[in-house]
């Protein structure tokens, strides 16, 4: 913990202003400008050809699937789709085969949209444009640090993979809000099938532009761009650190210097990479090897009509399932309003694309609140497998839990195995010796426990409800965890009369 | 209409009168005798060419169609990729680079039965007008070995002029086919931008580069154009429509055609060249064309605009020669120094000059004044040509201001060298087709070329006008450095 982290910017009277640039790799079969496979994790330099290696004489040909996915993203972010062009961004770097990157510059395909956070707050999307990815450099020797490395190896499998860069307006006001934005954006990318949104594999990468200003001011301060944010955790920590650092700079009477900074996860701080004066001159000019991209209205209409339901809509549907109002601000319906915990569960389920598990269970008669809780709290731990979970097995497990045939704890264990290996939940429960106690033997166990603790029973009888937890714990001990908490409470209440 | 040596050879091979192997060996033999002095070739494909010719003979023997260029030897400029055959761009930086793929034009040549016999010399990365900027030494002009053949496609022009190949391929960014064609006394055509695929052509200035034919007759040039032209899905700037057919219309004449003689395309030329343009205009009038004097003042700004746009694109296109993946690498302690050392050692003076010029023209703060302004000039030139073509079907002018100059004459004076392209550059900026056809010689017996321009996709028009001029042209003396028997159109083995 550094002093800066213990003294956040807000505590010093400063408000952070954050804009994010999110790069996401598109889920196309082939690369942006050639027919090579777009795949992660293959043997290095196997998905390459003259075009993506930038061999002399090779020329790019635009992948129309990438244009379609870029339009999907644009439409999902309420952008206007415009006729666009490609430019060359010139700079030397070994993992960039042509020593220029083909990117969209002053005429991007998507402009002027917004993303609505789950709480209804709208974040402006300035643009979402197409560009090609670079290769990947590995520094060998010298402990993996760039400057001490003995040599470097470059894998060009990623070179030419299609990217969309989504640039937000500086509308975010906290690290937590930035996190929510990225999570929501990831849900949208996954929902539209445009990207798999995996930060850990680098298919979604975030740069943060951070500045601070006196709370209540409308001016924008000098910003720093933070790179190397490989996870949501890094994003939050880096923004908090950077805002605090800038606040401290301003407090000491100095000025923030416009810089590109690198997030050092190990040291938990940002370090300067280069200042504005040292910034590259990219010498952008129109890419003469490509023609303008102008998706005709019919194509745009086709893409728009094929868009799947987006996260906001899906959250609304889950709320309705719980008998709750469709939106946070909507008129109150006295049915069963979602608790804050349930709102979180809904967000989690949608973020991981697991709505189907909840809705199908509810359709089969499982209580929506139970389906939601198990899906959000347990199934989402392994979202990839959860999406492949057999619907009937899942419903059958939830029904077992509802009927008290297994306890909540046991249901979680069975679910873990279901995710891991699949199978029939009834068989799994039997093999593991799970069976919730039948009502008779449970009543017996409760009676034994009550008899063994007369003082506590007296207090409970006179209305000290919190002692129920004590009895549940004792019953669990006696039954080796086979009792169901709710049933124990019901039995205690029956005894109390 | 004169048919050419390429169509004669192809007819003989197709009819089984001569074998492709014999034709190719005959030309390789001429290369072996003459090229040590001429230096038109960087690489000669002795074994590969004979093997390719044998494959053509097998097709003929099997009774299948060997293609319209069956057994015809072709000289290919060494900036077009040939699979497994080194492609150097006459640069140290690519001296030992062997492409893993064929350029589209090379694929089309092979499919038409043609046989690539060698890769020809050029100004490094096609930057120059004399072939003196080759890292491997200059090519000589067959008409006078003390003089340049022009450039940058000087090797292909000289090879075709000397009889070492009946046809050749060049690339034309600012006149690099037409100018050496004029200086060597052969036909050279720059097609409409987008009619011939650039896939596999090592880029100099992508928005201007265009591959085109060299030949000793207009009809052979047309035949070759018809083989290499047409849409290519590998080139996004390739026109998505069939290329115009030219071989069938070469003999259609110019009766009733309106031809404008463009003042700016000849008035600054030396007297012998101006006289040739006048004589050419008279010849066209004699063939029934309506001749009009015209002026396109905008083309005076073409050369300055070209020398900003072409280097700007080149500075980006040539960035990839960084020593990381292929070609020359000069070792150094870190990547940046390795890049710098490699490029310093690998690029010649002219390439370095243009990369620096182009980098400057694209730099922040200078872009609008240089690159941006040049783009506006380009647009003005395109519009000026379009307006002119509302009045006429074709334009006539000189190809170059002078005939071939002495080797070494302009090396120290880049601007004098750049002026060699003053009449050819406008067509690259407009993207329109143009052909250079030999039309007599100066007092020293050096060839003069006249140029015919037409609007986009006007290749049929330029070959028709070109063929009329060819038929009317004063005789040109035999080159001093040549295989006379092959030049004589001799169809017999010597």
């Amino acid at each position: 913990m550094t002093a800066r982290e213990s003294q956040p910017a807000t505590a010093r009277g400063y408000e952070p202003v954050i804009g994010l640039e999110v790069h996401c790799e598109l889920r196309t079969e082939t690369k942006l400008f050639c027919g090579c496979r777009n795949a992660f994790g293959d043997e290095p330099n196997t998905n390459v050809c003259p075009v993506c290696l930038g061999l002399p004489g090779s020329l790019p040909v635009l992948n129309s699937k990438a244009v379609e996915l870029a339009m999907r993203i644009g439409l999902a972010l309420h952008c206007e789709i415009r006729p666009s062009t490609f430019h060359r961004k010139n700079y030397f770097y070994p993992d960039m085969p042509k020593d220029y990157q083909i990117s969209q510059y002053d005429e991007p395909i998507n402009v002027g949209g917004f993303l609505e956070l789950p709480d209804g707050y709208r974040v402006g999307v300035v643009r979402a444009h197409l560009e090609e990815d670079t290769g990947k450099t590995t520094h060998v020797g010298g402990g993996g640090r760039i400057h001490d490395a003995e040599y470097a190896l470059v894998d060009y499998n990623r070179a030419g993979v299609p990217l969309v860069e989504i640039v937000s307006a500086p509308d975010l006001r906290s690290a937590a809000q930035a996190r929510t934005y990225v999570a929501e954006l990831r849900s949208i990318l996954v929902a539209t099938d445009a990207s798999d949104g995996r930060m850990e594999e680098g298919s979604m990468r975030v740069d943060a532009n951070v500045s601070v200003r006196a709370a209540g001011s409308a001016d924008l301060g000098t910003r720093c761009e933070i790179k190397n944010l490989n996870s949501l955790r890094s994003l939050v920590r880096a923004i908090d650190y950077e805002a605090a650092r800038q606040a401290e700079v301003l407090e000491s009477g100095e000025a923030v210097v416009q810089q590109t900074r690198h997030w050092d996860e190990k040291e938990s701080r940002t370090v300067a990479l280069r200042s504005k004066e040292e910034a590259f001159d990219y010498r952008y000019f129109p890419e003469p090897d490509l023609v303008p991209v102008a998706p005709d209205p019919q194509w745009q209409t086709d893409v728009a009509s094929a868009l799947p339901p987006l996260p906001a809509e899906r959250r609304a549907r889950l709320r309705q399932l719980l008998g709750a109002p469709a939106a946070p601000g909507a008129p109150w319906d006295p049915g069963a309003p979602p608790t804050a915990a349930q709102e979180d569960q809904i967000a989690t389920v949608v973020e991981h694309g697991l709505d189907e598990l909840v809705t199908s269970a509810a359709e089969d008669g499982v209580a929506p609140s139970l389906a939601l809780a198990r899906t959000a709290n347990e199934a989402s731990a392994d979202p990839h497998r959860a999406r492949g979970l057999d619907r009937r097995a899942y419903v059958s497990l939830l029904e077992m839990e509802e009927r008290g045939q297994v306890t909540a704890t046991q249901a979680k264990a069975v679910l873990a195995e279901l995710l891991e290996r699949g199978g029939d939940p009834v068989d799994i429960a039997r093999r593991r010796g799970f069976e919730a106690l039948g009502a008779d033997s449970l009543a017996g166990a409760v009676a034994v426990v009550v008899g063994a603790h007369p003082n506590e029973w007296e207090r409970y009888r006179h209305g000290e409800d919190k002692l129920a937890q004590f009895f549940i714990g004792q019953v669990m001990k006696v039954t080796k965890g086979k009792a169901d908490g709710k049933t124990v409470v019901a039995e205690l209440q029956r005894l109390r009369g | 209409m004169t048919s050419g040596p390429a169509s004669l050879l192809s007819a003989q091979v197709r009819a089984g009168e001569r074998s492709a192997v014999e034709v190719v060996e005959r030309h390789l033999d001429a290369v072996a005798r003459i090229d040590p002095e001429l230096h038109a070739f960087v690489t000669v494909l002795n074994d590969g060419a004979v093997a390719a010719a044998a494959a053509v003979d097998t097709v003929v023997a099997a009774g299948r169609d060997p293609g319209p260029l069956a057994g015809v030897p072709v000289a290919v400029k060494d900036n077009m990729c040939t699979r497994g055959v080194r492609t150097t761009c006459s640069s140290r930086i690519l001296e030992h680079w062997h492409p893993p793929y064929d350029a589209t034009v090379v694929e089309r040549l092979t499919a038409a039965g043609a046989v690539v016999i060698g890769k020809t010399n050029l100004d490094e990365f096609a930057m120059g007008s004399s072939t003196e900027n080759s890292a491997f030494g200059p090519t000589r002009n067959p008409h006078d070995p003390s003089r340049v053949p022009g450039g940058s496609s000087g090797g292909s022009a000289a090879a075709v002029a000397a009889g070492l190949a009946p046809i050749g391929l060049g690339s034309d960014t600012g006149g690099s086919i037409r100018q050496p064609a004029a200086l060597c006394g052969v036909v050279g055509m720059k097609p409409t931008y987008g009619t011939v695929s650039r896939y596999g052509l090592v880029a100099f200035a992508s928005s201007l580069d265009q591959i085109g034919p060299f030949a000793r007759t207009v009809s052979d040039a047309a035949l070759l154009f018809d083989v290499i032209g047409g849409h290519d899905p590998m080139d996004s700037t390739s026109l998505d429509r069939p290329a115009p057919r030219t071989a069938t219309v070469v003999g259609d004449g110019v009766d009733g055609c309106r031809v404008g003689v463009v003042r700016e395309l000849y008035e600054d030329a030396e007297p012998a060249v101006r006289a040739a343009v006048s004589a050419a205009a008279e010849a066209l009038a004699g063939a029934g064309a309506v001749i009009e004097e015209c002026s396109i003042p905008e083309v005076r700004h073409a050369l300055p605009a070209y020398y900003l746009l072409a280097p700007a694109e080149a500075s980006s296109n040539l960035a990839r020669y960084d020593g990381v993946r292929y070609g020359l690498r000069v070792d150094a302690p870190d990547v940046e120094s390795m890049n710098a050392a490699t490029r310093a050692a690998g690029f010649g003076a002219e390439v370095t000059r243009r990369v620096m010029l182009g980098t400057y023209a694209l730099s922040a703060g200078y872009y609008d004044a240089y690159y941006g302004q040049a783009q506006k000039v380009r647009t003005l030139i395109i519009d000026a040509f379009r307006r002119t073509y509302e009045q006429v079907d074709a334009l006539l002018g000189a190809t170059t201001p002078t005939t071939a100059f002495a080797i070494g004459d302009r090396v120290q004076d880049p601007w004098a060298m750049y002026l060699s392209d003053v009449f050819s550059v406008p067509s690259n900026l407009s993207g329109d087709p143009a052909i250079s056809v030999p039309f007599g010689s100066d007092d020293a017996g050096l060839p003069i070329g006249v140029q015919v321009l037409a609007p986009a996709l006007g290749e049929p028009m330029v070959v028709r006008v070109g063929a009329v001029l060819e038929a009317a042209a004063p005789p040109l003396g035999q080159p001093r450095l040549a295989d006379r028997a092959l030049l004589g159109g001799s169809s017999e083995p010597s």
Side-chain angles (χ1 to χ4, degrees), chain A residues 50-51 53-62 87-88 90 92-100 154 156 281 283-286 288-291, chain B residues 81 97 100-101 193 198-202 206-207 233-237 313 316-317 319-322 324-326 335 343 359 362-364 367 371:
Chain A
V51 176
L53 284 176
L55 294 190
S58 64
L59 294 171
V61 176
L62 182 60
H87 273 61
R88 289 189 187 175
N90 295 284
F92 284 90
Y93 207 77
D95 63 20
M96 199 166 53
K98 301 179 295 292
D99 286 301
Y100 58 78
V154 191
Y156 292 104
D281 178 356
R283 289 173 285 117
Y284 281 100
F285 75 103
D289 288 330
L290 289 169
V291 292
Chain B
C81 288
W97 183 60
Y101 73 106
Y193 185 81
R198 293 185 294 117
Y199 189 74
L201 168 67
V202 180
S206 313
S207 75
M234 297 298 281
D235 177 357
S236 310
T237 63
E313 293 183 20
S316 174
N317 282 329
R320 67 190 66 189
Y321 308 107
D322 57 10
V324 174
R325 290 158 299 274
Y326 46 78
V335 171
R343 291 166 68 79
T359 302
L362 290 175
S363 296
Y367 180 94
Y371 185 86

